[in-house]
Amino acid sequence: MDKVMRLSSEKGVVIFSKSSCCLSYAVQVLFQDLGVSPKIHEIDKDPECREMEKALMRLGCSKPVPAVFIGGKLVGSTNEVMSMHLSSSLVPLVKPYIC
Amino acid sequence: MNTTSTHFVPPRRFEIYETTLNQVSMWEENFKNNGGIYIPNSIIIPTDAKQDSLSDDTSHGTPHKFDQEASTSRHPDKTQRRLAQNREAARKSRLRKKAYVQQLETSRLKLIHLEQELDRARQQGFYEGNRVDTNALGFSVKMSSGIVAFEMEYGHWVEEQNRQISELRTVLQGQVSDVELRLLVDNAMKHYFQLFRMKSAAAKIDVFYIMSGMWKTSAERFFMWIGGFRPSELLKVLLPHFDPLMDQQVLDVCNLRQSCQQAEDAVSQGMEKLQHTLTDSVAAGNLGEGSYIPQITCAMERLEALVSFVDQADHLRHETLQQMHRILTTRQAARGLLALGEYFQRLRALSSSWATRQREPT
């Protein structure tokens, strides 16, 4: 959990994903399209993958990946990110992190 | 006379009774009361194997000889004959009943099968283009019951859709209160959301089926994107019907169009990646060695992800509709939903016309 919390604040936009997860990739593409370079953590490549998965689920994610943190706060998974974007509430949130 | 002794009545074919004289008269009573059909009350009827050994044990030896001296009172022959006839009648009756029940079961299954065929045929008449395409290509798809159920449900969904569209059209031509219009708009929205739920359930049963769009007409299939219509296409179709839009609305619609396109592109790229990884896992290892077992598990895992893509695509469709509903006034939303419904109706009509045209001899 500590690891997750620490990593999630490393950068403005942090995405926890798995190398095999293509929806995580879709979320990554979306942020890049908005001009943001998110920090990607592929937890399946991390030795503490299991613990991180559990931590992410405990934080409220229905699926461990993709888990999107903006400004250190959990925004949600693919559904939440897409809903926010379509309701025009994603861009204001990532504005400070656009490079 | 020993009235409680065991009487071995011959197994003319298969049955032996253990009984007393009292029971003999009970049977006669039973037989008379039940209209000549014998219904045993508490008679033990052992199996064939037992019978053979029992009959071997009789002191008389021959299986066909009646052992009645100790049992009957006045008319041994008649009683015994009647008893034998009872047994025979009862046995025949049981066999008839068994045959009848089996026949009922078979007929019942046949009826269910015919009902399903009928529904499918009704749909064929409805979506001519759809079925002709598949037959022409020689597809014979074995559909699971869940998919068959989905097809039937979808047929009903389209019928209800058509009804709603007609109602909207009629209502918008005349004077209608905003309250009534809001009700119709809400129903139309709920109707679309219902379709997404149906598709989600069907995708879990057979994702390839949903992806193939076999349940849609050919023209609809042509425009498909991950198991349904393109959200950006939806906006493109609807936009002309909303003039005049207020300034804020213009801005909102513009934002929605852009974010919809971006979301669609992102999911499309995710799909592409999925296809690549699937190709990789299918082609992994040494092709040409005839062994696919180890790779197939990996490929199956990739396919599981396909279901979540169909769900995500429907989620985008859902959210796009939702946002349109938020941005527009009730009246604008009603006009928009009517336009959307008619658009799909035209695609279906186009499919039918095209299929009919192809059937004509050149």
Side-chain angles (χ1 to χ4, degrees):
Chain A
M1 178 60 95
D2 296 331
K3 187 165 189 176
V4 165
M5 295 318 289
R6 182 172 46 82
L7 290 172
S8 64
S9 316
E10 254 182 18
K11 216 180 167 187
V13 180
V14 177
I15 305 176
F16 290 94
S17 82
K18 283 186 187 168
S19 51
S20 57
C21 180
C22 297
L23 269 181
S24 299
Y25 180 68
V27 168
Q28 192 184 326
V29 166
L30 179 65
F31 278 110
Q32 281 164 352
D33 214 0
L34 298 180
V36 179
S37 304
K39 183 87 171 73
I40 317 289
H41 286 292
E42 291 182 338
I43 65 173
D44 56 326
K45 300 235 171 91
D46 194 301
E48 292 174 62
C49 177
R50 268 287 170 79
E51 286 76 27
M52 291 176 84
E53 261 189 42
K54 280 192 216 149
L56 287 167
M57 303 280 279
R58 239 181 293 144
L59 283 171
C61 300
S62 52
K63 294 178 300 173
V65 294
V68 178
F69 288 78
I70 301 178
K73 281 214 307 248
L74 177 66
V75 159
S77 192
T78 326
N79 275 1
E80 288 76 31
V81 169
M82 295 296 172
S83 298
M84 283 180 73
H85 192 45
L86 288 179
S87 62
S88 304
S89 39
L90 189 65
V91 167
L93 217 59
V94 299
K95 229 176 182 160
Y97 310 109
I98 293 177
C99 18
Chain B
M1 183 172 79
N2 182 3
T3 59
T4 56
S5 70
T6 312
H7 308 286
F8 290 102
V9 179
R12 266 254 304 264
R13 299 270 286 272
F14 299 110
E15 289 147 298
I16 289 180
Y17 301 91
E18 275 194 68
T19 186
T20 63
L21 181 61
N22 291 335
Q23 286 183 313
V24 169
S25 33
M26 256 169 70
W27 292 343
E28 289 182 46
E29 203 55 36
N30 196 329
F31 185 77
K32 272 184 249 154
N33 293 342
N34 289 297
I37 295 175
Y38 179 77
I39 298 162
N41 290 334
S42 53
I43 310 300
I44 304 158
I45 302 172
T47 59
D48 294 355
K50 251 170 65 177
Q51 262 118 41
D52 289 334
S53 52
L54 279 170
S55 52
D56 283 338
D57 285 338
T58 62
S59 46
H60 297 272
T62 51
H64 295 289
K65 205 164 168 195
F66 288 89
D67 178 17
Q68 62 249 29
E69 265 95 59
S71 65
T72 56
S73 43
R74 237 180 282 255
H75 305 284
D77 286 338
K78 265 197 201 156
T79 316
Q80 287 307 311
R81 192 171 32 224
R82 215 176 323 145
L83 290 177
Q85 282 168 349
N86 285 1
R87 285 192 297 276
E88 196 54 39
R91 196 182 59 81
K92 284 198 178 134
S93 172
R94 280 190 295 275
L95 287 174
R96 276 199 305 275
K97 185 180 176 186
K98 191 176 176 189
Y100 178 60
V101 168
Q102 272 174 354
Q103 202 182 45
L104 278 180
E105 280 295 310
T106 319
S107 301
R108 185 177 147 268
L109 288 172
K110 195 170 182 194
L111 181 65
I112 292 171
H113 180 70
L114 283 173
E115 275 177 346
Q116 283 178 350
E117 291 232 76
L118 189 64
D119 267 298
R120 227 175 295 168
R122 232 185 274 140
Q123 280 191 57
Q124 277 188 30
F126 210 98
Y127 315 115
E128 283 170 83
N130 189 6
R131 293 300 169 205
V132 167
D133 287 356
T134 59
N135 289 338
L137 287 172
F139 287 145
S140 63
V141 183
K142 184 167 183 250
M143 298 194 284
S144 79
S145 62
I147 297 300
V148 170
F150 169 77
E151 287 210 337
M152 272 166 43
E153 259 196 282
Y154 181 67
H156 297 316
W157 187 90
V158 173
E159 279 171 20
E160 173 61 18
Q161 179 78 338
N162 290 337
R163 192 199 63 77
Q164 283 185 2
I165 291 166
S166 297
E167 193 173 11
L168 269 174
R169 196 183 296 124
T170 314
V171 146
L172 283 169
Q173 276 164 0
Q175 294 282 68
V176 61
S177 69
D178 258 20
V179 171
E180 192 189 337
L181 211 52
R182 173 161 303 140
L183 194 66
L184 291 176
V185 165
D186 284 347
N187 281 345
M189 297 287 282
K190 279 192 207 135
H191 197 56
Y192 278 112
F193 300 160
Q194 186 201 341
L195 178 62
F196 299 147
R197 281 195 301 275
M198 281 161 57
K199 282 168 67 187
S200 182
K204 290 186 179 69
I205 297 169
D206 186 350
V207 72
F208 281 132
Y209 176 80
I210 295 295
M211 289 288 296
S212 73
M214 294 314 296
W215 43 287
K216 285 181 178 276
T217 61
S218 39
E220 286 176 293
R221 260 203 302 280
F222 177 72
F223 290 108
M224 252 183 50
W225 174 77
I226 313 184
F229 61 81
R230 257 183 204 280
S232 55
E233 187 71 31
L234 177 147
L235 292 176
K236 202 163 65 178
V237 164
L238 297 189
L239 219 50
H241 300 270
F242 300 139
D243 294 329
L245 284 172
M246 297 185 292
D247 289 344
Q248 184 57 45
Q249 286 183 320
V250 170
L251 196 63
D252 286 343
V253 166
C254 195
N255 283 339
L256 182 61
R257 282 194 84 175
Q258 189 183 35
S259 47
C260 185
Q261 192 63 59
Q262 285 166 332
E264 217 175 276
D265 288 342
V267 173
S268 292
Q269 288 191 51
M271 257 306 274
E272 267 181 52
K273 181 163 192 241
L274 182 61
Q275 282 175 322
H276 288 317
T277 57
L278 188 59
T279 307
D280 286 345
S281 64
V282 169
N286 295 317
L287 286 171
E289 284 183 3
S291 154
Y292 186 44
I293 315 295
Q295 289 86 8
I296 206 165
T297 338
C298 182
M300 297 277 271
E301 277 169 32
R302 301 274 180 264
L303 285 180
E304 295 284 352
L306 198 55
V307 179
S308 40
F309 265 91
V310 172
D311 277 342
Q312 194 54 229
D314 274 349
H315 178 69
L316 288 187
R317 291 184 258 266
H318 185 296
E319 291 301 287
T320 307
L321 282 169
Q322 197 80 287
Q323 287 305 314
M324 283 304 287
H325 185 231
R326 183 184 63 81
I327 294 169
L328 301 170
T329 64
T330 311
R331 205 153 285 267
Q332 286 169 328
R335 286 210 304 272
L337 286 163
L338 173 59
L340 187 65
E342 265 197 37
Y343 177 70
F344 290 128
Q345 277 180 336
R346 287 188 187 183
L347 282 179
R348 288 184 211 119
L350 182 62
S351 306
S352 296
S353 305
W354 185 255
T356 321
R357 176 186 170 280
Q358 284 199 317
R359 279 206 225 111
E360 285 165 15
T362 41

